[in-house]
Amino acid sequence: MRLTGVRLTALDTIASPSYDLVHGWRWDVGFAIVDHGWVVGTAARAAIISDRGITGLSAEVIAEPGAESDPLWPDRHQARLVARPRKRAVGAGAEHRLVFIDRLLATLVHLRHGVIHDVLACWFGVNRSTVTRAIGEVRPLPAERGCTISQGLRLRTLAEVIDHLGISGQTGIIDGTEIHVRRPAVGRKDRDRIVSGRNNRNKQNAVKAMVLTDAEGQMLLCSPAEPASCADITHARQLGLVEHLVDGPVVEILADAGCQGLGAQTGGRVVMPPHRRFKKNPPGWCEENHERQRKAHFSRRIRVEQGIAHLKDRRALARHLGRREHMSDIVQAAAGLLAHQQTADLSPKSTS
C-alpha cells in the first residue's frame, strides 16, 4: 500500500491465489503472505538473480559472495549483540524477517540502482528500518573481500597489487575519481573539506577514491574514500604508493598530471605525461612531438577511465544521498563486485 496506495484486498483480482501448506497463500506473480505482510517469494527472488540488469551481476557471481558471506554474517551479528550492554538476553525479541539471501539481494539492488530503502521495504515486505539495518550489516562483507583477479586470487592491499603486477609483468594504471555527496549542514566541523578542488567554480561537494587497474582495465584496487579536497598526489602518498614502489618489485605505473612529482620519488616507476620544453612560443616540431607523446600516454591510460566508468554504472556511486560515513564500504564493495564480474566474464566457459 505504501507504493501504490491500494489495499491488499484490491489486488486479489489481479493474481490467482492458491494455498500451500508450507508457505500459506501464494500468488502466481511470486509473492506470498506470511504474518499479514509481503515477503519476496521464490519466483521474485529467482527473477532478481537471473536478470543481470537488476544487480549488475550474473547468477554465478552472486552465488560465490553469498556462499562466503552467509556463515560470516551470523557470527558478526552475534558478536555485535554480545559486545554492547544489554537489558535482556541475547536472542530475545522478534526474529529476523529477512533471510540472508534477501538481505544480500537488497544490498546488491541498492548498490546497482540506488533504490531508496522505503521502496525496498515495500518490495521485501518489511519495515524501512529493517532494510536499512540489513544493508548496513551486509555491505561491509563484499567490501572486505577485495578484488578477485582469478580463481582463488584476491587483492586487498596496495602491497599485494604491486607484487601481483611485478610477478605478472603487467603495467598498472592509477587515477582518482570523485563521488558527489550531500553538503554538510551549516556549522558542521570541517564543512569545506569535501569541497572538490577540481572545479572551483561550481564548488562540488564530493569524496574521492583512488582506482588502480591493469593495462586491460581489470579492477585491481579501490581505496577508501577521502574528502575531495585531498589532492591526487597526496592521496597516493597516503596509500603508501611511493614506499611500495621503491621497496617492491620493478613495476610501471601510469598516472596523470595530478600525480606530478611521483616519478622522481619512485625512480621513474610512475610514468607521467610529458612536460612542455618551451612554455612560450614553442617551435612547431617541438609542439608536434609533445602532442604525439601526450596522446600516446593518454591512449595507454584510457583503460583506467573505462574501469571507472564501469564502476560508476552503480547508481550509488553516481551521486550518493546517504551518509558520507558509509562511502568507503560502498565504493570498495562496488569495486570488489565489479572485479569479480570482470574475472567471470574473462574466464573460459566450461563446456559439457
Side-chain angles (χ1 to χ4, degrees), residues 278-282:
F278 300 91
K279 294 184 179 179
K280 295 182 179 180
N281 301 324

Side-chain angles (χ1 to χ4, degrees), residues 161-167 169-172 212 244-245 248-254 266 268-271:
V161 173
I162 298 300
D163 292 339
H164 168 72
L165 293 175
I167 295 174
Q170 301 182 49
T171 298
L212 203 154
H244 290 306
L245 289 177
V250 178
V251 176
E252 182 185 48
I253 302 293
L254 303 180
T266 58
R269 298 184 183 183
V270 177
V271 181

Side-chain angles (χ1 to χ4, degrees), residues 64-232:
E64 185 172 340
E68 293 180 1
S69 302
D70 193 2
L72 296 178
W73 175 77
D75 295 338
R76 295 195 177 194
H77 180 67
Q78 187 72 11
R80 185 165 47 251
L81 294 178
V82 175
R84 63 189 182 187
R86 303 185 58 84
K87 294 185 179 180
R88 57 181 178 178
V90 175
E95 297 293 334
H96 287 290
R97 294 282 306 274
L98 282 179
V99 296
F100 179 77
I101 182 60
D102 290 340
R103 292 171 176 265
L104 177 62
L105 293 178
T107 304
L108 296 179
V109 173
H110 175 68
L111 290 176
R112 180 67 179 86
H113 296 287
V115 181
I116 61 175
H117 295 181
D118 286 325
V119 175
L120 290 174
C122 294
W123 193 359
F124 285 87
V126 294
N127 293 328
R128 182 193 58 80
S129 59
T130 301
V131 173
T132 301
R133 182 170 61 251
I135 293 176
E137 292 174 352
V138 174
R139 186 172 48 210
L141 299 178
E144 295 173 359
R145 295 182 71 249
C147 294
T148 304
I149 304 304
S150 61
Q151 186 67 27
L153 177 59
R154 293 178 191 160
L155 306 177
R156 296 181 176 87
T157 64
L158 183 59
E160 295 177 354
V161 173
I162 298 300
D163 292 339
H164 168 72
L165 293 175
I167 295 174
S168 60
Q170 301 182 49
T171 298
I173 314 174
I174 191 170
D175 196 9
T177 181
E178 292 185 353
I179 304 163
H180 293 176
V181 296
R182 294 186 301 176
R183 187 179 186 185
V186 176
R188 292 289 300 271
K189 184 180 179 180
D190 298 331
R191 188 174 184 230
D192 295 335
R193 289 191 63 200
I194 66 171
V195 176
S196 173
R198 292 187 175 183
N199 194 335
N200 294 324
R201 178 178 301 177
N202 294 332
K203 298 293 184 181
Q204 292 286 352
N205 296 272
V207 295
K208 178 181 296 184
M210 297 296 289
V211 174
L212 203 154
T213 68
D214 60 13
E216 300 300 326
Q218 171 74 24
M219 185 69 62
L220 301 180
L221 181 71
C222 184
S223 72
E226 293 287 341
S229 59
C230 180
D232 287 352

Side-chain angles (χ1 to χ4, degrees), residues 254-306:
L254 303 180
D256 60 3
C259 295
Q260 202 70 253
L262 291 183
Q265 296 178 1
T266 58
R269 298 184 183 183
V270 177
V271 181
M272 315 299 304
H275 287 282
R276 289 184 179 272
R277 298 181 58 184
F278 300 91
K279 294 184 179 179
K280 295 182 179 180
N281 301 324
W285 62 267
C286 184
E287 190 67 16
E288 293 177 0
N289 187 35
H290 170 79
E291 188 68 16
R292 183 170 57 255
Q293 294 177 357
R294 187 184 67 85
K295 288 184 177 180
H297 181 81
F298 287 165
S299 65
R300 299 180 64 193
R301 283 195 64 256
I302 194 63
R303 292 296 187 178
V304 72
E305 303 290 351
Q306 295 171 351

